[in-house]
Amino acid sequence: MASHGTGTACLTVLMLIAALLTAFCVTGSNATCLVVCLAVITVLASLWLWRLRRRDGGTERRVCVLVLGDIGRSPRMQYHALSLSKHGFNVTFVGFLDTKPHQGVLREENIRIVPIAEVKGVRVGPKLLTYVTKVIIQCLQLLSVLLRVEPQSHLLMQNPPGLPSIAVAWFVCVLRGSRFVIDWHNYGYTIMALSHGQRHPVVRLAKWYEHFFGPLATHNLCVTNAMKDDLQKNWGIRATTLYDRPAAIFRETPLKLQHELFMRLANTYPQFQHRGSEEKEVKVERTIFTVRDLADDSVTLTMERPALLLSSTSWTEDEDFSILLEALKEYEGFIKEGASLPPLVCAITGKGPQKEHYRKLIDSLQLEHVEICTPWLEAEDYPVLLGSADLGVCLHKSSSGLDLPMKVVDMFGCCLPVCAIHFDCLQELVKHEENGLIFRDSRELAEQLKSLLSEFPSSEGRLGLFRRNLRTSRGQRWDDNWDQNVLPLITAPR
């Protein structure tokens, strides 16, 4: 097994020797000296490349998974790592470690996390200087990390973000003789265009960059058939569609686990706390949704409970949460006008750059029948809350129109019906009037909430029908999907 410092140490020594020899040759005029210097440099370079590409008995069972982002908020890449580990591969998982990954990733002996620090770039001067320095530093950082790990049979990276990781990963794979796999979740330049515009020089550079380096991968994966077709037509890339599928942890939550989670959340968020006096003749433990009888430890749902509406977000530009807030204001108006509708508790999970902006908007609302909270959940609690909710809302609007929201996949794994905002190719996941509804604006969303919750908490209405459809139409889970589409690529002979 190659030592971790082999690549960097050899490169440093090579550069020093090359610099000394070059300086020596420049000061002299002897042609023979120049030939000797070039020959020595060539031999040293060959030795360095030989050490980088030297393979041992375990190389074919090692894979590097790379995400230039937070590992804890990259569920698909975590699932890749777990699937590789399940099949006996040793996984080096490289990425930011801002939030805690799934317990399965942390417990798995075959997965070694190599954390990298997020680069900020130069803080003074024009924004372009900040961006350029950030890219340069990230290139050096990734080169250092990827050349220090043991030789890998494959390097599997997420795109976006792909600048500069695609070029660096490809270069390292060329040096080390590894096969390069890109998992296309979206296009990086379309996400950048949300804040900068299509014609911004950085956006145009990013588009050229992805078009140039993307086709250099050995294999390509993507998240929809629409993206597969676009990659083939406009990029010349043949990709395999690997639909996002829910992991086994996403399922309907038993009442006891619901109650335990609600009790924990009630300690921090008053929206989950029971309102009213405790019953003196019977010892019970209450939340606004559930009641636990301490005598026999049974848990039941309260008949007068509010509906639990759940949305998940990274609080970025591709999700306009003002749509949901306007819809909730209209829902409040329906109740005040006399409509027979349940009160709502709306939990919006996640964290990101626009969270504080929307929290201020939420705090400014004066709603009597709708309560909103923005909890941050541990990785283990998120699927429990999904499996406890009555309705999900998705405001993800694809920047490219070619990817699908992972949050809806997880909701469907929990048999949670969804109202999702329309964009191209969404129909590959959300079937209107079958497993949820598709809306285009806040007014349409408000009408859908009114319609779906009009018979709450009865399970006989459309909301119950969608849930039953999800129970009976469950497709492949992640493991079977991965084994069918990715494992043959990883195990294919060279």
Side-chain angles (χ1 to χ4, degrees):
M1 180 179 295
S3 67
H4 287 192
T6 297
T8 304
C10 288
L11 177 60
T12 303
V13 172
L14 171 63
M15 292 176 66
L16 288 173
I17 294 176
L20 290 172
L21 289 173
T22 302
F24 177 73
C25 290
V26 169
T27 57
S29 58
N30 193 325
T32 303
C33 176
L34 179 61
V35 171
V36 170
C37 288
L38 291 175
V40 171
I41 292 173
T42 301
V43 171
L44 289 172
S46 299
L47 287 172
W48 178 61
L49 288 174
W50 175 79
R51 290 186 69 96
L52 282 179
R53 297 172 70 94
R54 187 173 60 182
R55 311 177 81 79
D56 56 41
T59 300
E60 290 303 314
R61 305 304 297 175
R62 290 195 291 263
V63 176
C64 179
V65 176
L66 170 65
V67 51
L68 196 61
D70 184 9
I71 290 175
R73 289 192 284 170
S74 303
R76 183 174 166 104
M77 302 312 289
Q78 293 184 67
Y79 297 163
H80 276 303
L82 287 168
S83 293
L84 287 162
S85 175
K86 172 187 171 184
H87 286 279
F89 290 90
N90 291 303
V91 180
T92 301
F93 202 161
V94 180
F96 305 154
L97 202 55
D98 296 335
T99 55
K100 189 172 72 172
H102 290 301
Q103 283 296 323
V105 173
L106 296 174
R107 289 195 298 260
E108 183 53 61
E109 294 182 356
N110 289 343
I111 299 176
R112 178 172 67 96
I113 296 177
V114 178
I116 56 176
E118 185 173 1
V119 175
K120 300 298 183 182
V122 176
R123 299 297 186 89
V124 295
K127 289 185 177 180
L128 183 60
L129 177 62
T130 300
Y131 190 78
V132 170
T133 56
K134 177 179 179 180
V135 169
I136 293 173
I137 295 171
Q138 281 183 331
C139 283
L140 297 174
Q141 177 193 49
L142 287 175
L143 273 174
S144 174
V145 170
L146 296 178
L147 290 176
R148 286 166 55 200
V149 301
E150 303 91 340
Q152 313 279 316
S153 65
H154 293 76
L155 192 158
L156 169 61
M157 70 152 286
Q158 170 186 308
N159 182 65
L163 182 65
S165 51
I166 296 180
V168 175
W170 167 77
F171 180 64
V172 169
C173 286
V174 170
L175 290 178
R176 310 204 76 166
S178 304
R179 283 175 281 188
F180 182 31
V181 184
I182 299 178
D183 189 2
W184 297 84
H185 297 194
N186 202 342
Y187 299 146
Y189 78 91
T190 62
I191 294 176
M192 295 173 68
L194 291 174
S195 54
H196 298 296
Q198 291 282 356
R199 302 188 62 82
H200 193 281
V202 172
V203 176
R204 296 169 70 177
L205 174 64
K207 183 177 181 179
W208 171 85
Y209 173 88
E210 285 183 290
H211 271 271
F212 182 83
F213 286 101
L216 299 179
T218 311
H219 301 294
N220 292 272
L221 306 172
C222 62
V223 294
T224 65
N225 282 328
M227 180 171 283
K228 175 183 177 180
D229 294 341
D230 188 74
L231 285 168
Q232 176 68 62
K233 180 180 178 181
N234 298 317
W235 299 58
I237 292 174
R238 297 184 62 182
T240 299
T241 301
L242 178 71
Y243 280 117
D244 283 321
R245 298 291 189 220
I249 56 175
F250 290 96
R251 58 187 182 274
E252 293 183 82
T253 305
L255 279 177
K256 286 188 177 181
L257 290 181
Q258 290 188 34
H259 180 75
E260 291 172 4
L261 176 61
F262 293 153
M263 287 295 295
R264 292 199 301 274
L265 290 174
N267 291 328
T268 307
Y269 304 99
Q271 294 85 355
F272 290 86
Q273 295 173 0
H274 169 65
R275 293 89 188 259
S277 58
E278 294 288 341
E279 299 179 14
K280 295 181 180 180
E281 64 277 10
V282 180
K283 291 186 177 180
V284 295
E285 187 178 68
R286 293 181 179 272
T287 71
I288 197 170
F289 300 104
T290 53
V291 178
R292 176 184 170 219
D293 189 327
L294 298 178
D296 60 9
D297 203 34
S298 62
V299 177
T300 56
L301 293 169
T302 59
M303 288 303 297
E304 301 301 323
R305 69 185 182 277
L308 178 55
L309 187 70
L310 184 67
S311 188
S312 175
T313 179
S314 298
W315 299 107
T316 52
E317 291 89 348
D318 61 355
E319 293 180 313
D320 183 1
F321 264 79
S322 64
I323 294 174
L324 176 58
L325 300 184
E326 287 297 321
L328 294 177
K329 287 167 64 176
E330 291 191 46
Y331 184 89
E332 171 91 2
F334 295 149
I335 296 178
K336 289 185 175 180
E337 291 169 3
S340 180
L341 294 168
L344 281 181
V345 170
C346 178
I348 307 173
T349 69
K351 64 180 181 180
Q354 293 191 320
K355 183 171 183 176
E356 287 305 313
H357 165 71
Y358 281 108
R359 284 186 66 175
K360 291 177 181 178
L361 291 180
I362 291 169
D363 292 341
S364 69
L365 298 176
Q366 301 295 323
L367 304 177
E368 297 179 20
H369 304 281
V370 177
E371 297 184 80
I372 305 171
C373 61
T374 57
W376 169 249
L377 299 171
E378 294 293 339
E380 311 85 66
D381 287 339
Y382 176 62
V384 178
L385 186 60
L386 278 188
S388 307
D390 299 300
L391 178 63
V393 172
C394 175
L395 290 160
H396 172 83
K397 205 166 186 177
S398 171
S399 61
S400 64
L402 299 172
D403 70 309
L404 294 173
M406 184 70 180
K407 58 179 69 67
V408 173
V409 175
D410 295 338
M411 290 174 182
F412 283 173
C414 296
C415 297
L416 179 63
V418 171
C419 293
I421 195 166
H422 174 270
F423 64 87
D424 293 340
C425 94
L426 181 62
Q427 68 277 2
E428 290 191 38
L429 179 61
V430 180
K431 312 297 183 185
H432 189 66
E433 293 287 0
E434 181 180 324
N435 54 21
L437 298 174
I438 297 174
F439 62 90
R440 295 178 182 270
D441 53 36
S442 60
R443 182 174 295 276
E444 192 171 5
L445 173 57
E447 291 292 341
Q448 290 178 359
L449 296 179
K450 178 181 179 181
S451 172
L452 292 175
L453 297 174
S454 60
E455 298 183 49
F456 184 85
S458 171
S459 61
E460 297 304 315
R462 294 165 75 207
L463 194 60
L465 173 63
F466 295 163
R467 191 179 289 272
R468 290 192 294 274
N469 288 342
L470 286 167
R471 288 170 180 157
T472 57
S473 65
R474 287 183 177 179
Q476 285 181 313
R477 288 282 173 164
W478 171 268
D479 289 339
D480 294 335
N481 189 34
W482 193 92
D483 291 353
Q484 178 180 324
N485 291 287
V486 183
L487 186 60
L489 301 179
I490 300 297
T491 55
R494 289 180 175 270

